[in-house]
Amino acid sequence: MAAPPTPDGTSARVHDARAADVGGFTVRRALPRVGLRTVGAWCFADHMGPEVVTETSGLDVGPHPHIGLQTVTWLVEGSIRHTDSLGSDQLIRPGQLNLMTAGHGIVHAEESVRARGTLHGVQLWIAQPEQTRHGPSSFSHLAELPVVDVEHGNATVMIGDYARAESAAAVDTPLMGVDFDLQAGASTHALRSDFEYAVYVVHGRARVDGTVVAEGQLLDLRRHPAELLVETLEPTRLLLLGGLPLGEPLTMWWNFVGRSREEIATAATDWAAYVDSGASASDVVDRFATVTSRIAPIPAPTLV
Ligand code: MN
């Protein structure tokens, strides 16, 4: 349910994330949505869990391709193993960041660790701009990120800079992503006038710029004041995502971010060749190289 209307009607800016299934795991998808495709270059936001995983059940995302985007994986609880076609094999834990750059093409797999526990986190996508989206793929794991003290809590700078702290994560457009872990209370946060923003509440409830935003809701702050007032009504975990408007219309389909249907169709054909080959042949289309995973590759849905 959306927050009740406020006197100036600003509740139109609050959107519930919608349920989706990713590898047998229910996620809440906050981006993209009708009327809000991107926030800066942020083009996708999935909130995973919190959900109990076990030795035999959890997140099981088999090998699948990406083009034209970066994936940002950030955990609140639990751990995920990432493998990709560059040979990366990386366990990620809370407080760490996985940044995978697809460029022209990459294949990866993700699974929750086979032990009982809770998995809770987010996966965000960043659309790559024209200058870099045809380039090479890469993967980086940031074991530590800057954490700054703020009023009533702290903030981890995942992407970009905030409060004179800067993440080492390499992105291609002016962008920021900060995870606030706040106790109840009011705080103010300077915003850039040239950025557009969104707030997503991972846990708890807050009044942000006068509008109540609860767990699983996104507040559209494309229009925003110079200083953001955040009044947390209980202990709250929220993400502030922002960036320069991308200015490039995207064609997004399945795991691909491109600029035309034709381009997406070519990537889908290339991926079908990978799946048909059993993912072991050396003559697979070279942009989708083999990745090691115990899970079968995921075929693309039919492009209509
Ligand atoms: Mn993926």
Side-chain angles (χ1 to χ4, degrees), residues 251-256 260-270 272 299-304:
T251 300
M252 282 182 66
W253 180 79
W254 194 44
N255 293 310
F256 303 139
S260 69
R261 190 185 181 283
E262 185 181 29
E263 191 184 337
I264 297 295
T266 301
T269 302
D270 289 352
T302 304
L303 178 61
V304 290

Side-chain angles (χ1 to χ4, degrees), residues 38-50:
T38 50
V39 176
W42 296 106
C43 63
F44 184 92
D46 266 3
H47 180 188
M48 309 178 281

Side-chain angles (χ1 to χ4, degrees), residues 24-293:
F25 206 78
T26 302
V27 302
R28 286 177 272 186
R29 185 156 298 158
L31 275 182
R33 54 173 300 110
V34 173
L36 183 56
R37 313 304 299 178
T38 50
V39 176
W42 296 106
C43 63
F44 184 92
D46 266 3
H47 180 188
M48 309 178 281
E51 199 172 304
V52 172
V53 298
T54 70
E55 292 80 355
T56 54
S57 72
L59 180 75
D60 280 303
V61 185
H64 61 279
H66 287 289
I67 65 167
L69 60 89
Q70 294 181 291
T71 63
V72 172
T73 306
W74 173 253
L75 298 181
V76 174
E77 198 172 356
S79 50
I80 291 176
R81 182 184 175 198
H82 160 100
T83 53
D84 66 40
S85 49
L86 301 166
S88 314
D89 186 343
Q90 181 68 56
L91 193 69
I92 179 172
R93 293 193 170 89
Q96 305 177 334
L97 189 87
N98 276 358
L99 179 69
M100 184 182 79
T101 302
H104 183 53
I106 195 166
V107 182
H108 77 142
E110 295 156 298
E111 58 178 291
S112 50
V113 170
R114 304 285 105 179
R116 192 171 181 86
T118 299
L119 182 63
H120 189 197
V122 295
Q123 186 171 88
L124 311 168
W125 294 359
I126 300 165
Q128 291 184 263
E130 188 60 31
Q131 304 93 286
T132 63
R133 71 187 188 93
H134 304 288
S137 54
S138 63
F139 174 79
S140 59
H141 172 75
L142 287 83
E144 286 186 24
L145 294 169
V147 180
V148 296
D149 288 334
V150 297
E151 294 165 278
H152 310 292
N154 61 62
T156 305
V157 186
M158 302 184 292
I159 298 288
D161 60 77
Y162 176 79
R164 290 181 294 282
E166 186 170 8
S167 166
V171 293
D172 302 326
T173 56
L175 199 66
M176 67 92 77
V178 175
D179 177 11
F180 289 91
D181 192 354
L182 303 170
Q183 298 304 309
S187 55
T188 55
H189 308 271
L191 300 182
R192 279 176 60 159
S193 62
D194 56 346
F195 270 26
E196 51 190 16
Y197 293 91
V199 163
Y200 181 78
V201 175
V202 173
H203 174 77
R205 203 161 64 97
R207 186 179 292 112
V208 181
D209 191 26
T211 300
V212 173
V213 196
E215 175 180 327
Q217 293 186 322
L218 182 97
L219 176 66
D220 180 348
L221 285 172
R222 281 176 294 183
R223 290 167 55 89
H224 59 82
E227 199 162 62
L228 188 66
L229 174 61
V230 175
E231 301 161 272
T232 37
L233 307 168
E234 56 192 83
T236 296
R237 195 81 179 253
L238 60 84
L239 305 179
L240 177 64
L241 305 175
L244 273 189
L246 188 61
E248 297 181 35
L250 304 177
T251 300
M252 282 182 66
W253 180 79
W254 194 44
N255 293 310
F256 303 139
V257 176
R259 299 297 183 274
S260 69
R261 190 185 181 283
E262 185 181 29
E263 191 184 337
I264 297 295
T266 301
T269 302
D270 289 352
W271 179 245
Y274 179 106
V275 174
D276 291 347
S277 75
S280 57
S282 56
D283 59 352
V284 172
V285 178
D286 66 355
R287 68 165 152 179
F288 297 140
T290 303
V291 59
T292 303
S293 172

